[in-house]
Amino acid sequence: MAITTLNNRSINRSDTASADQVWTATSATASDFQAGGVNTPAFRAFMNANQELVNSTSTLIDQFGTEDFDTNSDFASNRFTPTESGKYFVYAQLAFTNTVLADVSEFALTMIYKNGSELVRNHADPKDSAQLNQAACYIATVVEMNGSSDYLEVYAHAISGTGSSNAPLVGNGTNQSFFGAYKIIE
Amino acid sequence: MSNLSTKIKLYAKENGVNSVDFLSDVKLQDDGSGAYIKEWNLDIAKPTDEQLNSYEDEANAEEALNTVYSDRRSEYPNENDCIHALLDGGDTLTELQAKRQATKLKFPKP
């Protein structure tokens, strides 16, 4: 990002120092360096309760009940609907864990959906259908948002090894399962 | 109530499809109001709700049985214990078999 002002002296992109001239910021403070642009809107939320999944079903994660921050109040009801258009860096992590005794998943998938359709995914799939005791799937991408109707959500998909009614589970906690995004400076 | 995926597997099997991949053949989704079929890519006809509901009892029975297998597996001796018992034989093997039997009795089949 270009520095546009130094000690209250405007600097144009075409400005160059003359021969033997050195520009020195003798009393510059952070405010003198107007980098321009902020990474907002931005939010981060995490699951404050476990969520049991439906076996072999892509399930909306609806337990993002605690917000670490939400600069523009754009995150509500587990959905991020930014009110400014532009490109956003969006990220999520889900911690899959066993639920009842040994009935754990053989396959765990984290997905970010845009406007109800899958945007990007990451998965854990151990060799030869071995079972996952725990797996954290992190996912991130950059996506264009229109600043009005576009929205982002997180879905999970897990396949139970045994096919019993004991469904896999996504564990809660700020360091376990979270969802966030911020506008990138263009 | 049984899982939608279990009922679909039973329906598919009865119509000649022995394996269903729920990441490609049939995509199920739950947006917070219950699971539904979002995409059906099998060559057999997509079942109606009525057809799927007819498998409810069978699906419940299958899931109950699978839960028993799951519960048993959690308490069975692990693979290393089994190998050692087979190699050692004698009392070690007898004790291991007793543990397996006790687990079966703890989690009986429905």
Side-chain angles (χ1 to χ4, degrees):
Chain A
M1 184 58 60
I3 296 173
T4 57
T5 309
L6 189 62
N7 277 355
N8 297 321
R9 176 197 186 282
S10 293
I11 299 174
N12 297 317
R13 181 167 292 180
S14 58
D15 285 350
T16 55
S18 304
D20 300 324
Q21 182 183 16
V22 178
W23 290 348
T24 305
T26 55
S27 60
T29 63
S31 62
D32 291 328
F33 297 89
Q34 297 174 4
V38 290
N39 290 108
T40 56
F43 86 100
R44 186 189 189 275
F46 65 90
M47 291 176 65
N48 60 355
N50 293 340
Q51 182 172 344
E52 200 167 291
L53 302 176
V54 181
N55 190 25
S56 301
T57 302
S58 298
T59 306
L60 173 70
I61 299 301
D62 58 9
Q63 297 297 325
F64 289 114
T66 303
E67 292 180 353
D68 291 312
F69 56 88
D70 184 6
T71 61
N72 294 48
S73 300
D74 289 344
F75 184 74
S77 302
N78 306 287
R79 177 181 290 188
F80 179 56
T81 311
T83 47
E84 289 185 21
S85 62
K87 289 185 174 64
Y88 284 75
F89 182 85
V90 55
Y91 59 94
Q93 174 175 297
L94 297 181
F96 295 85
T97 186
N98 53 341
T99 53
V100 182
L101 301 175
D103 189 20
V104 295
S105 61
E106 288 181 351
F107 185 90
L109 178 63
T110 298
M111 296 168 284
I112 293 174
Y113 274 43
K114 178 186 176 185
N115 301 336
S117 297
E118 185 184 327
L119 181 67
V120 63
R121 66 165 64 181
N122 187 17
H123 69 269
D125 184 8
K127 186 182 178 186
D128 297 334
S129 297
Q131 295 199 329
L132 300 165
N133 282 321
Q134 283 193 323
C137 282
Y138 176 82
I139 190 170
T141 191
V142 172
V143 60
E144 186 83 35
M145 304 295 282
N146 65 11
S148 55
S149 59
D150 284 346
Y151 63 91
L152 299 169
E153 297 168 312
V154 175
Y155 277 70
H157 187 116
I159 296 174
S160 166
T162 62
S164 75
S165 57
N166 296 340
L169 176 132
V170 178
N172 74 88
T174 184
N175 60 348
Q176 294 286 304
S177 300
F178 49 82
F179 179 25
Y182 57 84
K183 188 174 186 291
I184 60 176
I185 300 169
E186 297 178 74
Chain B
M1 187 174 173
S2 62
N3 284 334
L4 179 57
S5 59
T6 307
K7 289 186 279 193
I8 287 174
K9 279 191 275 191
L10 290 169
Y11 166 81
K13 191 172 182 181
E14 195 163 297
N15 287 276
V17 178
N18 290 321
S19 175
V20 179
D21 184 338
F22 286 99
L23 293 173
S24 56
D25 296 335
V26 178
K27 294 184 180 178
L28 306 180
Q29 190 159 309
D30 184 345
D31 302 321
S33 303
Y36 62 93
I37 299 172
K38 187 176 186 187
E39 205 173 303
W40 183 269
N41 299 314
L42 290 172
D43 290 335
I44 58 175
K46 180 181 173 181
T48 62
D49 288 343
E50 190 177 6
Q51 284 175 307
L52 288 174
N53 289 338
S54 70
Y55 293 96
E56 184 69 35
D57 291 344
E58 196 177 346
N60 278 327
E62 181 169 316
E63 289 178 4
L65 185 59
N66 285 332
T67 300
V68 170
Y69 290 144
S70 171
D71 291 342
R72 285 182 177 182
R73 188 168 53 197
S74 71
E75 295 201 11
Y76 276 152
N78 63 37
E79 289 87 346
N80 282 338
D81 291 339
C82 292
I83 292 168
H84 287 150
L86 288 169
L87 293 173
D88 293 346
D91 289 345
T92 308
L93 182 56
T94 303
E95 287 171 12
L96 181 133
Q97 288 171 332
K99 283 182 184 174
R100 283 181 54 85
Q101 190 57 36
T103 302
K104 287 182 180 180
L105 291 173
K106 182 177 178 182
F107 301 110
K109 290 182 181 178

Short mmCIF file of all heavy atoms in Angstrom, two decimals, chain A residues 70-94:
data_model
loop_
_atom_site.label_atom_id
_atom_site.label_comp_id
_atom_site.label_asym_id
_atom_site.label_seq_id
_atom_site.Cartn_x
_atom_site.Cartn_y
_atom_site.Cartn_z
N ASP A 70 -17.36 -8.79 15.54
CA ASP A 70 -18.24 -8.69 14.37
C ASP A 70 -18.37 -7.19 14.08
O ASP A 70 -19.29 -6.53 14.56
CB ASP A 70 -19.60 -9.32 14.68
CG ASP A 70 -20.52 -9.34 13.47
OD1 ASP A 70 -20.08 -8.96 12.37
OD2 ASP A 70 -21.70 -9.72 13.65
N THR A 71 -17.43 -6.66 13.32
CA THR A 71 -17.27 -5.21 13.20
C THR A 71 -18.52 -4.49 12.68
O THR A 71 -18.81 -3.38 13.09
CB THR A 71 -16.10 -4.87 12.27
OG1 THR A 71 -16.37 -5.40 10.96
CG2 THR A 71 -14.80 -5.43 12.81
N ASN A 72 -19.23 -5.13 11.77
CA ASN A 72 -20.36 -4.44 11.14
C ASN A 72 -21.69 -5.14 11.42
O ASN A 72 -22.66 -4.90 10.72
CB ASN A 72 -20.15 -4.34 9.63
CG ASN A 72 -18.98 -3.46 9.26
OD1 ASN A 72 -17.90 -3.59 9.83
ND2 ASN A 72 -19.19 -2.55 8.32
N SER A 73 -21.68 -6.01 12.40
CA SER A 73 -22.88 -6.79 12.73
C SER A 73 -23.43 -7.50 11.50
O SER A 73 -24.64 -7.56 11.27
CB SER A 73 -23.97 -5.88 13.33
OG SER A 73 -23.50 -5.27 14.51
N ASP A 74 -22.53 -8.06 10.72
CA ASP A 74 -22.94 -8.76 9.49
C ASP A 74 -23.11 -10.25 9.70
O ASP A 74 -23.54 -10.96 8.79
CB ASP A 74 -21.89 -8.53 8.39
CG ASP A 74 -21.90 -7.11 7.86
OD1 ASP A 74 -22.89 -6.39 8.12
OD2 ASP A 74 -20.93 -6.71 7.19
N PHE A 75 -22.74 -10.73 10.88
CA PHE A 75 -22.89 -12.16 11.16
C PHE A 75 -24.08 -12.36 12.08
O PHE A 75 -24.14 -11.81 13.19
CB PHE A 75 -21.62 -12.72 11.82
CG PHE A 75 -21.69 -14.21 12.05
CD1 PHE A 75 -21.57 -15.09 10.98
CD2 PHE A 75 -21.88 -14.73 13.32
CE1 PHE A 75 -21.63 -16.46 11.18
CE2 PHE A 75 -21.95 -16.10 13.52
CZ PHE A 75 -21.82 -16.96 12.45
N ALA A 76 -25.04 -13.13 11.60
CA ALA A 76 -26.23 -13.41 12.41
C ALA A 76 -26.81 -14.74 11.97
O ALA A 76 -26.78 -15.09 10.78
CB ALA A 76 -27.27 -12.30 12.22
N SER A 77 -27.35 -15.48 12.92
CA SER A 77 -27.98 -16.77 12.64
C SER A 77 -27.07 -17.68 11.83
O SER A 77 -27.49 -18.29 10.83
CB SER A 77 -29.31 -16.56 11.91
OG SER A 77 -30.17 -15.76 12.68
N ASN A 78 -25.80 -17.73 12.22
CA ASN A 78 -24.81 -18.62 11.61
C ASN A 78 -24.51 -18.29 10.15
O ASN A 78 -24.02 -19.13 9.40
CB ASN A 78 -25.28 -20.09 11.71
CG ASN A 78 -25.59 -20.48 13.13
OD1 ASN A 78 -24.68 -20.65 13.94
ND2 ASN A 78 -26.87 -20.57 13.45
N ARG A 79 -24.83 -17.10 9.76
CA ARG A 79 -24.68 -16.68 8.35
C ARG A 79 -23.99 -15.33 8.29
O ARG A 79 -24.34 -14.41 9.03
CB ARG A 79 -26.07 -16.61 7.72
CG ARG A 79 -26.09 -16.14 6.30
CD ARG A 79 -27.50 -16.07 5.77
NE ARG A 79 -28.10 -17.39 5.56
CZ ARG A 79 -29.27 -17.59 4.96
NH1 ARG A 79 -29.98 -16.56 4.53
NH2 ARG A 79 -29.74 -18.80 4.80
N PHE A 80 -22.98 -15.22 7.40
CA PHE A 80 -22.27 -13.96 7.21
C PHE A 80 -22.77 -13.31 5.93
O PHE A 80 -22.61 -13.85 4.84
CB PHE A 80 -20.77 -14.23 7.12
CG PHE A 80 -19.93 -12.99 6.89
CD1 PHE A 80 -19.99 -11.91 7.76
CD2 PHE A 80 -19.05 -12.93 5.82
CE1 PHE A 80 -19.20 -10.78 7.56
CE2 PHE A 80 -18.26 -11.80 5.61
CZ PHE A 80 -18.34 -10.72 6.48
N THR A 81 -23.38 -12.15 6.06
CA THR A 81 -23.91 -11.41 4.92
C THR A 81 -23.27 -10.03 4.93
O THR A 81 -23.80 -9.08 5.52
CB THR A 81 -25.45 -11.28 5.01
OG1 THR A 81 -26.03 -12.56 5.28
CG2 THR A 81 -26.03 -10.74 3.71
N PRO A 82 -22.10 -9.88 4.32
CA PRO A 82 -21.39 -8.60 4.40
C PRO A 82 -22.15 -7.48 3.72
O PRO A 82 -22.80 -7.69 2.68
CB PRO A 82 -20.05 -8.89 3.72
CG PRO A 82 -20.31 -10.05 2.83
CD PRO A 82 -21.35 -10.88 3.53
N THR A 83 -22.04 -6.30 4.31
CA THR A 83 -22.78 -5.15 3.79
C THR A 83 -21.90 -4.25 2.92
O THR A 83 -22.31 -3.14 2.56
CB THR A 83 -23.34 -4.33 4.97
OG1 THR A 83 -22.31 -4.16 5.95
CG2 THR A 83 -24.51 -5.05 5.62
N GLU A 84 -20.71 -4.73 2.63
CA GLU A 84 -19.86 -4.01 1.68
C GLU A 84 -19.41 -4.99 0.61
O GLU A 84 -19.04 -6.13 0.93
CB GLU A 84 -18.63 -3.42 2.39
CG GLU A 84 -18.96 -2.25 3.30
CD GLU A 84 -17.70 -1.61 3.88
OE1 GLU A 84 -16.61 -1.81 3.29
OE2 GLU A 84 -17.80 -0.94 4.91
N SER A 85 -19.43 -4.55 -0.62
CA SER A 85 -19.02 -5.43 -1.71
C SER A 85 -17.50 -5.52 -1.76
O SER A 85 -16.79 -4.65 -1.24
CB SER A 85 -19.57 -4.92 -3.05
OG SER A 85 -19.04 -3.64 -3.32
N GLY A 86 -17.01 -6.57 -2.40
CA GLY A 86 -15.57 -6.75 -2.54
C GLY A 86 -15.16 -8.19 -2.33
O GLY A 86 -16.00 -9.08 -2.22
N LYS A 87 -13.86 -8.40 -2.29
CA LYS A 87 -13.33 -9.74 -2.08
C LYS A 87 -13.10 -9.97 -0.58
O LYS A 87 -12.62 -9.08 0.13
CB LYS A 87 -12.01 -9.91 -2.84
CG LYS A 87 -12.18 -10.00 -4.34
CD LYS A 87 -10.85 -10.31 -5.03
CE LYS A 87 -11.03 -10.54 -6.51
NZ LYS A 87 -11.52 -9.33 -7.23
N TYR A 88 -13.43 -11.17 -0.14
CA TYR A 88 -13.30 -11.52 1.27
C TYR A 88 -12.47 -12.79 1.42
O TYR A 88 -12.60 -13.73 0.65
CB TYR A 88 -14.68 -11.77 1.88
CG TYR A 88 -15.45 -10.50 2.16
CD1 TYR A 88 -16.04 -9.78 1.10
CD2 TYR A 88 -15.57 -9.99 3.44
CE1 TYR A 88 -16.72 -8.61 1.34
CE2 TYR A 88 -16.26 -8.82 3.69
CZ TYR A 88 -16.83 -8.13 2.65
OH TYR A 88 -17.50 -6.97 2.89
N PHE A 89 -11.62 -12.76 2.44
CA PHE A 89 -10.94 -13.97 2.87
C PHE A 89 -11.84 -14.63 3.90
O PHE A 89 -12.19 -14.02 4.92
CB PHE A 89 -9.57 -13.65 3.48
CG PHE A 89 -8.80 -14.87 3.90
CD1 PHE A 89 -8.01 -15.55 2.98
CD2 PHE A 89 -8.87 -15.35 5.21
CE1 PHE A 89 -7.31 -16.69 3.36
CE2 PHE A 89 -8.17 -16.49 5.58
CZ PHE A 89 -7.39 -17.15 4.66
N VAL A 90 -12.25 -15.85 3.64
CA VAL A 90 -13.16 -16.54 4.55
C VAL A 90 -12.52 -17.85 4.99
O VAL A 90 -11.85 -18.51 4.20
CB VAL A 90 -14.53 -16.77 3.87
CG1 VAL A 90 -14.38 -17.51 2.56
CG2 VAL A 90 -15.48 -17.52 4.79
N TYR A 91 -12.70 -18.19 6.25
CA TYR A 91 -12.06 -19.38 6.79
C TYR A 91 -12.98 -20.07 7.79
O TYR A 91 -13.89 -19.43 8.36
CB TYR A 91 -10.73 -19.03 7.47
CG TYR A 91 -10.86 -18.04 8.62
CD1 TYR A 91 -11.00 -18.48 9.93
CD2 TYR A 91 -10.87 -16.67 8.39
CE1 TYR A 91 -11.13 -17.58 10.98
CE2 TYR A 91 -11.00 -15.77 9.43
CZ TYR A 91 -11.14 -16.23 10.72
OH TYR A 91 -11.27 -15.34 11.76
N ALA A 92 -12.75 -21.35 7.98
CA ALA A 92 -13.54 -22.11 8.95
C ALA A 92 -12.75 -23.35 9.34
O ALA A 92 -11.93 -23.85 8.59
CB ALA A 92 -14.89 -22.50 8.37
N GLN A 93 -13.04 -23.82 10.52
CA GLN A 93 -12.49 -25.10 10.97
C GLN A 93 -13.54 -25.83 11.77
O GLN A 93 -14.23 -25.22 12.60
CB GLN A 93 -11.25 -24.90 11.84
CG GLN A 93 -10.72 -26.21 12.44
CD GLN A 93 -9.43 -26.02 13.20
OE1 GLN A 93 -8.42 -25.64 12.61
NE2 GLN A 93 -9.46 -26.25 14.50
N LEU A 94 -13.70 -27.10 11.52
CA LEU A 94 -14.60 -27.93 12.30
C LEU A 94 -13.83 -29.10 12.88
O LEU A 94 -13.04 -29.75 12.18
CB LEU A 94 -15.75 -28.46 11.43
CG LEU A 94 -16.69 -27.41 10.82
CD1 LEU A 94 -17.78 -28.08 10.01
CD2 LEU A 94 -17.29 -26.52 11.89
#
